[in-house]
Amino acid sequence: MAQYHHIKFLKEVEGLSQRQIAIKLGISRNTVSKYLKQNKPPTTIKRKHTYSGKEYSDETKRVLPIIDQWLEDDLKRWGKQKHTAARIYKRLVDEYDFKGSESNIRKVVAKRKKKLQEVFIPLDFQLGHQFQFDWGEADIVLQGQTKRVFLFCSQLSASRVRFVRAYLHEKQEAFLDGFVHAFEFFGGIPTEGLFDNLKTAVEKIMQGRDRLEQESFMALQTHYLFKAEFCNVRSGNEKGRVEGTVGYVRRNALVPVPVVQSLDELNDHLLSWCLKEAEHRKVPYSKETVKQMWNKEKEYLRPLPEQRFEACKLVSCQVNKTSLITIETNKYSVPCKYVGQAVWAKIFVDQIIVVAQNQVIAKHPRSYERHEMFTVLDHYLEALIKKPRAIRDAHAFQSSDIPKVFRRFHQKMRDQEGAIGDRKFIRLLLLHREIGMEILTQALLEAEKTQIYRYDVVHEFIRRIENNGTIIQDLSRDKTPTNLLDYKIQKSNVAQYGQLTGGQLD
């Protein structure tokens, strides 16, 4: 009756067309047309109740409190591990000797679940106030092999701009590194972030929403000055913005499966995808694109600090007698003078930095393989001076980072001078600390052309290279200018000098 009235009023009083009426009332144009053709309002139809006086049987009423309790308990559990109607019926039969039918229990459960459904409230976030974070997973083809990667996904709640970066794991250093790149991408720092209760952020869940947070995560908050808020346990829907982002990215940015040679290549692809999405996607219930809203939100973000946050895990290591430290089954070298000492290792996503007495003593690319060894020849030169014969078989000397000319030159010096050749070659290696590996390598290549494998020859070529490539050679007699050949140098006359000093030569 009310709908008939609205349609007639809009048509005859306000003069709207059928199309405008349908849009305004959210109904079909056919419905509008049908009512306008009627001269009489529709009659009210009363629904008939098909059930008898009793809604439930006495047997069903007996187990209703039990069913309600189980369904309420399920609201606090993981969504994939809850009671089904069939499981409820089986438990009622086994545990409470229920005599009713399974079909009846199915109807009861469906009806009770509707009453327990959670109500969600539409939210409208303030610009610059909140970001949300979550991890996701996806498969890629990395250097010809299928690899599972972990997606760091963050989103500004107001403008809905997304940031995605791929890592090989979800460890603490990846978690911290993701925020360094995310804040730089967003162009500033929001007031607060919404998180799950993940172990890299939360050490212990306290009462209510209180959390004992990881020290490194607190350091991140202190550096960027944002506040962390945590969802209730098993309530990922509280950060619905980014929950939808994870699946959306996997379906749209990573289908078909990317074929890449490195994570850097994949992350360049993801960054480009995020920017294109921001340009073309509209903010819901708004006429603006994500990028337009994002540009507005940047004005409300706090500026980035002058220095980047060190997104690393700090561990203490003992240097063994082979001048190596062990990190996650892999061994990395440090200068041999630190043998037996304790040092600190900063474990980043892509590198290992070793520190002693507040000074960086070694840097290595990080390996994600197991039981590998990474050595730097420079770390062992002081020990090699005392043990020169070890240079031939030293692990660091066989590294692919050492140019092949070094091994060729050493073999020649060893063949010509034996143990003395080993010692002289190590003296050559020490020169790189003053001139760098590039100049030393070039000098060895030039000396090798002369087929003279001596320390002084290499040193001469180093001098020439440092003098901008100027080569000093003796001129042959036939190329020497005539006037130079005729030029004679007169010897000094000491007597003349005596006359100037009045005969005093002292």
Side-chain angles (χ1 to χ4, degrees), residues 479-488:
K479 292 182 179 180
T480 304
T482 305
N483 58 338
L484 288 179
L485 290 173
D486 295 336
Y487 185 78
K488 303 295 183 180

Side-chain angles (χ1 to χ4, degrees), residues 56-67:
Y56 297 117
S57 66
D58 292 338
E59 180 67 358
T60 302
K61 285 182 178 180
R62 180 175 69 89
V63 297
L64 280 180
I66 301 169
I67 295 173

